[in-house]
Amino acid sequence: MCSSWVVLAFCCLGQLCADQSLKPQLAAPQLATNNPTLTTVALEKPFCMFDSSLHPNKSYTIYLYAMKETASAISSLVTDSSGKPLDSTFQQTSGGQLGPYKAALFDVPNCASPPRFADVGDVNKVSDVLKQYLFRVGDDGTCLYDPNFLAVCNPPLAPDTTYRFKYVLLDSTEGIMKDQTLWSDPIKTRRVKLPLKIDTWPGRRSGDMIVITSILSVLVFLLLAGFLASVSSAAMGSKDSSTETRCMSQTIQQSEPRPQLSSE
């Protein structure tokens, strides 16, 4: 009973159940912050999506395909005429520009035993939970340049670019597609900010505000310096006047004739 409630809660929170949406979805923000990034997109794995297509005593694999949105008008097919999934690569499709490429493959997620969101708070379990729950497209920065790399390459996505994604259920025994999701809604990676447009000022002030503030700060500094110079000059002048007055007083006193005492 408890397990059923966990599955239901997981499906409702992540919109993973087949009767809600048969298309890849962005991972829940509670588990994947800053998503998408410049070069990656974190997707929920297809929990419960293909249950009706699974049969006992058979082996299945999930394929994840990616393509740029502009490629959908050219070709969005992910199987050949015999129903076999395409093995098109990132390089062959120009990064998804010419059509879908296979970005990943993994086992069918266990719908009866999904990861528990409560375990995210446990530092010893959070890594396993994220690995079970989501897949990050564009997470491999070395496979394109490694001549010995033989697995499915999942290289970084292009910044400021819109992509679509699709899950395909493969019968590993027959090597043919058994089911597939719809293409995801358009998902756009983040745009690279130019250095001049990066706001590093506390309080998130605009560039014009920073210039105005700098000018006012300089003016205030000059006014303060002028005021201090005036006060210092006045103080020096007052000191010189006092010294001159004291010297004149002493000179007058010395020049006055002293009365002589008469002796009787």
Side-chain angles (χ1 to χ4, degrees):
M1 182 67 179
C2 180
S3 176
S4 300
W5 278 107
V6 171
V7 172
L8 179 60
F10 194 88
C11 290
C12 291
L13 179 58
Q15 296 183 347
L16 298 172
C17 291
D19 59 348
Q20 290 181 334
S21 177
L22 278 173
K23 63 175 65 173
Q25 305 284 338
L26 283 173
Q30 299 94 324
L31 298 181
T33 57
N34 190 30
N35 182 38
T37 66
L38 290 173
T39 58
T40 67
V41 172
L43 299 174
E44 295 172 345
K45 286 187 175 180
F47 283 88
C48 313
M49 281 187 175
F50 300 119
D51 278 7
S52 60
S53 301
L54 300 177
H55 298 282
N57 303 321
K58 284 211 171 186
S59 177
Y60 298 93
T61 303
I62 299 293
Y63 281 6
L64 170 63
Y65 286 90
M67 69 174 180
K68 293 181 180 179
E69 187 181 26
T70 53
S72 59
I74 303 172
S75 175
S76 60
L77 296 177
V78 295
T79 59
D80 58 20
S81 57
S82 62
K84 293 184 178 181
L86 299 177
D87 285 326
S88 51
T89 65
F90 183 91
Q91 298 95 320
Q92 292 169 344
T93 61
S94 297
Q97 180 67 40
L98 303 178
Y101 68 91
K102 187 164 61 175
L105 60 87
F106 47 83
D107 295 334
V108 179
N110 188 352
C111 184
S113 181
R116 298 174 62 247
F117 284 163
D119 290 338
V120 175
D122 188 337
V123 294
N124 298 319
K125 297 181 179 180
V126 61
S127 179
D128 291 337
V129 171
L130 295 179
K131 186 175 181 180
Q132 293 179 58
Y133 168 72
L134 61 83
F135 181 83
R136 191 174 293 276
V137 188
D139 202 31
D140 191 339
T142 62
C143 62
L144 284 179
Y145 314 103
D146 185 356
N148 299 318
F149 188 86
L150 300 177
V152 177
C153 189
N154 177 33
L157 303 175
D160 194 25
T161 303
T162 302
Y163 289 87
R164 291 179 183 268
F165 306 94
K166 176 192 282 284
Y167 286 125
V168 171
L169 178 67
L170 174 74
D171 184 328
S172 302
T173 304
E174 301 178 13
I176 61 174
M177 182 188 71
K178 285 298 183 180
D179 204 349
Q180 63 181 319
T181 67
L182 302 173
W183 282 103
S184 71
D185 295 329
I187 300 175
K188 191 173 185 179
T189 52
R190 293 183 184 272
R191 177 185 300 180
V192 178
K193 284 189 176 182
L194 296 175
L196 294 177
K197 293 185 178 181
I198 297 177
D199 184 10
T200 59
W201 189 269
R204 302 183 65 82
R205 295 182 175 86
S206 66
D208 293 341
M209 193 65 181
I210 294 175
V211 173
I212 294 173
T213 303
S214 300
I215 293 174
L216 291 176
S217 299
V218 172
L219 290 177
V220 170
F221 173 78
L222 293 176
L223 289 174
L224 181 60
F227 174 75
L228 292 176
S230 300
V231 171
S232 177
S233 177
M236 292 296 294
S238 176
K239 182 178 179 180
D240 291 343
S241 177
S242 176
T243 302
E244 183 179 354
T245 302
R246 186 168 58 254
C247 290
M248 289 180 62
S249 176
Q250 291 177 354
T251 303
I252 293 173
Q253 290 178 2
Q254 291 176 359
S255 62
E256 288 181 354
R258 296 183 180 180
Q260 295 183 352
L261 295 177
S262 57
S263 56
E264 297 180 355

